Amino acid sequence: MHTDIFFKEVIEVAKQIDTQAIENLALELKALRDRGGRLFILGVGGSAGNCSHAVNDFRKLCGIEAYAPVDNVSELTARTNDEGWETIFSGWLKVSKANKNDAVLVFSVGGGNLEKNVSPNIVEGLKLAKERGLKIFGVVGRDGGFTKQVGDCVVVVPTVDASRVTPHAEAFQAVVWHCLVSNPILQQMATKW
């Protein structure tokens, strides 16, 4: 039965994920907050929805100034229409005066790949982030793509079945960020329930 197989895969992903990488990310996020830096969370598709939710949790529970460029639909669509899809994150980071005190957190299944024309907007955003000295973090699937190549601290969600990389990667983005925002070194406000 599909449900049994799916949940066995979830268990396997949970067993294989690099928990030390998640702990390292918590330490990096604490350092970001301590230096007064901002966190820009980038993602497209289902990962974009995760960005919005994560911004809420990092801000409310951890006191980290966080933003998701995809939340500003007017700017997102204006940039797409006038400049092209590739610029939606790099343009946003430029106007935000993103700098070496800040960090980018990528939620993505593939992590961006220019050769395959997959998430070129993430790639361009990360290139700008590198130029400006931002820390680059990620929670990605597969091999992590460009995000893993250039990132300072990237959690790669293990692939247990190639046909279900997307649902597991996007689901574990939520598992990882919820682990982070409930980590005692980051959490400043208790959850309501």
Side-chain angles (χ1 to χ4, degrees):
M1 167 164 61
H2 170 74
T3 304
D4 289 335
I5 293 167
F6 189 90
F7 276 90
K8 284 179 184 172
E9 291 170 359
V10 167
I11 292 166
E12 198 55 39
V13 171
K15 285 181 181 178
Q16 292 182 30
I17 201 160
D18 184 350
T19 55
Q20 187 58 57
I22 299 169
E23 284 295 316
N24 294 345
L25 185 50
L27 292 170
E28 290 279 5
L29 290 166
K30 182 183 183 306
L32 173 74
R33 181 181 63 204
D34 290 350
R35 69 178 174 267
R38 299 167 295 169
L39 182 64
F40 300 104
I41 308 178
L42 312 181
V44 295
S47 297
N50 284 342
C51 293
S52 296
H53 184 158
V55 161
N56 166 67
D57 290 349
F58 283 116
R59 292 178 69 92
K60 184 174 183 289
L61 300 176
C62 301
I64 296 172
E65 186 177 349
Y67 302 95
V70 295
D71 285 344
N72 185 338
V73 174
S74 296
E75 183 176 355
L76 177 79
T77 56
R79 287 191 184 284
T80 302
N81 188 59
D82 299 344
E83 303 159 19
W85 179 242
E86 295 80 10
T87 68
I88 62 170
F89 298 134
S90 59
W92 205 91
L93 291 169
K94 284 177 188 173
V95 172
S96 297
K97 296 179 179 61
N99 63 71
K100 62 182 171 55
N101 290 322
D102 302 324
V104 168
L105 171 60
V106 173
F107 288 156
S108 176
V109 175
N113 184 317
L114 286 182
E115 294 78 31
K116 295 181 180 179
N117 195 34
V118 177
S119 303
N121 41 28
I122 289 173
V123 173
E124 294 304 319
L126 293 181
K127 285 181 181 178
L128 181 81
K130 278 303 247 193
E131 288 171 17
R132 293 185 172 212
L134 280 75
K135 289 277 192 159
I136 296 174
F137 310 137
V139 182
V140 296
R142 290 201 184 273
D143 64 357
F146 192 73
T147 302
K148 180 65 175 164
Q149 291 171 22
V150 301
D152 297 292
C153 188
V154 178
V155 177
V156 178
V157 177
T159 300
V160 296
D161 185 311
S163 70
R164 283 183 284 282
V165 168
T166 298
H168 291 313
E170 290 180 348
F172 271 85
Q173 290 165 7
V175 172
V176 171
W177 100 66
H178 282 105
C179 177
L180 291 166
V181 300
S182 62
N183 187 316
I185 70 166
L186 286 176
Q187 187 174 14
Q188 295 181 330
M189 180 179 282
T191 55
K192 180 94 170 163
W193 299 101

